[in-house]
Amino acid sequence: MAPAELERSASIIGTITGVFQSRVVGQENLRTTLLAALAAGGHVLLESVPGLAKTTAASALASSITGSFARIQCTPDLMPNDIIGTQIFNYGSGTFTTQLGPVHANVVLLDEINRSSAKTQSAMLEAMQERQTSIGGEVHRLPEPFMVLATQNPIEEEGTYVLPEAQMDRFLMKEILTYPRPGEEHEILDRSTAGSLTGPREAVGSVSLEDVRFLQTMVDQVYVDPAVKRYIIDLVFTTRGSGPRPVPNLTQSVRVGASPRGSLALMRVAQANALLQGRDYVTPDDVRAMRYGVLRHRLVLTFDALASGIKPEQIIDAVFHAVPMP
């Protein structure tokens, strides 16, 4: 990778970071997750109690890119046609015309995804995985780049449909937002009184879709050593109860380990993280850096583990502790 390419990547990342920080206070983990997912060309699931800037963060990321942005508020009566589009009959000409839905945008925010019905979730699944939608038997490609940011609220269970494992696996990362620190909350109040909380008066800057595509191409070129690939495979196999040094009694807590999509995600996110750090090669630390985001939604815990209050993060830590770093 040429130094000029690394420099251009750093400039794009810097611009997006600047826009994000002008709109969102703190939430460094979230910023890194969103940037890595954008560079890796993946989707992100955000989970937190209300009011922790999930929607603000998504729109901040979208506003840093000159592409299109759509926000879909999920409700139990939301139909697939409301998302992907529909065919409208024109009585004058006697023909059908296709009207594309809001999912045909570069950045799509799916607010409270677990409130939409299984039928709507499956329509979204096709869009996320196949990068296309089917309307009246016609296939419509989604724009490039395409990124879904879905949010869910873990405290309200009434009227929600739990996301199936197959759909959870389609998200490159799942980020759980935490409350801001006292200093950050003070900054939020300061920005509110100054009238700059909803966003700066002037545009901080933006990157083009071409820049985002360039960033994604650069991630492909980040070198992954065979030893690092072996490390990723060992980690994923350890989550399945095998591996070079199995974690004792892991099968009592984990019903299903990470799939091969988990291995791909670990490698892809490590490549993206290396690029964010200004490197064109992956180190084992890049694999460790976002381990929770990549694996927490890919482990299916047993009922005993859930009843005992065991968190996926504890299991991920145990797995990373057991597997020796190259």
Side-chain angles (χ1 to χ4, degrees):
M1 201 183 288
E5 292 177 325
L6 273 176
E7 211 170 287
R8 184 180 168 194
S9 301
S11 160
I12 295 166
I13 290 159
T15 304
I16 297 173
T17 302
V19 175
F20 191 87
Q21 288 174 337
S22 72
R23 298 275 300 274
V24 181
V25 178
Q27 300 289 10
E28 288 303 306
N29 276 357
L30 174 63
R31 180 178 62 79
T32 317
T33 298
L34 291 179
L35 263 171
L38 179 69
H43 311 295
V44 183
L45 181 62
L46 306 173
E47 185 178 287
S48 80
V49 295
L52 292 192
K54 297 187 293 292
T55 309
T56 308
S59 62
L61 181 75
S63 68
S64 67
I65 302 163
T66 53
S68 50
F69 172 63
R71 179 174 185 260
I72 302 167
Q73 183 68 48
C74 295
T75 55
D77 60 351
L78 187 77
M79 297 303 287
N81 291 352
D82 300 330
I83 290 181
I84 63 172
T86 187
Q87 287 191 316
I88 297 166
F89 185 68
N90 184 332
Y91 283 99
S93 62
T95 55
F96 282 98
T97 52
T98 301
Q99 186 172 4
L100 296 178
V103 77
H104 290 265
N106 295 111
V107 180
V108 177
L109 170 63
L110 271 180
D111 245 339
E112 298 201 83
I113 186 173
N114 52 340
R115 290 206 178 281
S116 59
S117 65
K119 184 186 269 189
T120 307
Q121 286 177 10
S122 66
M124 203 60 222
L125 190 65
E126 183 195 4
M128 286 168 60
Q129 188 61 25
E130 311 298 333
R131 310 277 167 138
Q132 65 180 38
T133 57
S134 311
I135 305 168
E138 275 183 45
V139 170
H140 297 269
R141 300 293 304 168
L142 290 167
E144 283 289 330
F146 171 69
M147 183 182 188
V148 172
L149 300 169
T151 71
Q152 64 177 12
N153 172 355
I155 55 170
E156 289 180 286
E157 295 300 324
E158 298 87 9
T160 62
Y161 303 81
V162 179
L163 282 182
E165 297 306 326
Q167 186 151 8
M168 290 284 263
D169 210 23
R170 295 302 200 283
F171 286 100
L172 183 72
M173 286 191 272
K174 177 183 177 183
E175 186 61 36
I176 294 179
L177 281 68
T178 52
Y179 286 114
R181 292 189 284 274
E184 290 169 350
E185 197 132 354
H186 202 290
E187 165 82 358
I188 292 169
L189 298 185
D190 285 346
R191 284 195 189 187
S192 179
T193 51
S196 64
L197 188 64
T198 50
R201 293 279 172 264
E202 71 287 337
V204 183
S206 64
V207 297
S208 66
L209 294 179
E210 190 49 52
D211 287 334
V212 177
R213 284 192 282 267
F214 170 78
L215 205 60
Q216 293 178 350
T217 313
M218 287 297 99
V219 171
D220 293 334
Q221 294 180 24
V222 173
Y223 173 71
V224 187
D225 192 78
V228 174
K229 288 180 183 172
R230 184 76 241 173
Y231 179 52
I232 290 169
I233 292 165
D234 288 347
L235 289 166
V236 170
F237 268 78
T238 306
T239 68
R240 299 173 193 165
S242 55
R245 293 187 189 174
V247 176
N249 305 323
L250 186 81
T251 47
Q252 290 175 14
S253 303
V254 180
R255 195 152 50 92
V256 182
S259 68
R261 203 181 274 131
S263 314
L264 285 167
L266 265 180
M267 185 175 80
R268 189 85 181 144
V269 169
Q271 286 176 298
N273 191 58
L275 193 66
L276 295 188
Q277 307 298 329
R279 279 182 279 104
D280 60 356
Y281 58 90
V282 171
T283 67
D285 285 327
D286 291 320
V287 179
R288 295 176 70 88
M290 299 190 199
R291 59 190 186 275
Y292 299 143
V294 175
L295 293 174
R296 62 160 60 102
H297 59 299
R298 291 189 158 93
L299 303 180
V300 183
L301 302 190
T302 60
F303 181 74
D304 289 350
L306 293 168
S308 309
I310 293 172
K311 297 271 189 289
E313 290 80 0
Q314 292 170 257
I315 292 161
I316 294 165
D317 280 339
V319 167
F320 271 79
H321 186 71
V323 178
M325 281 174 78

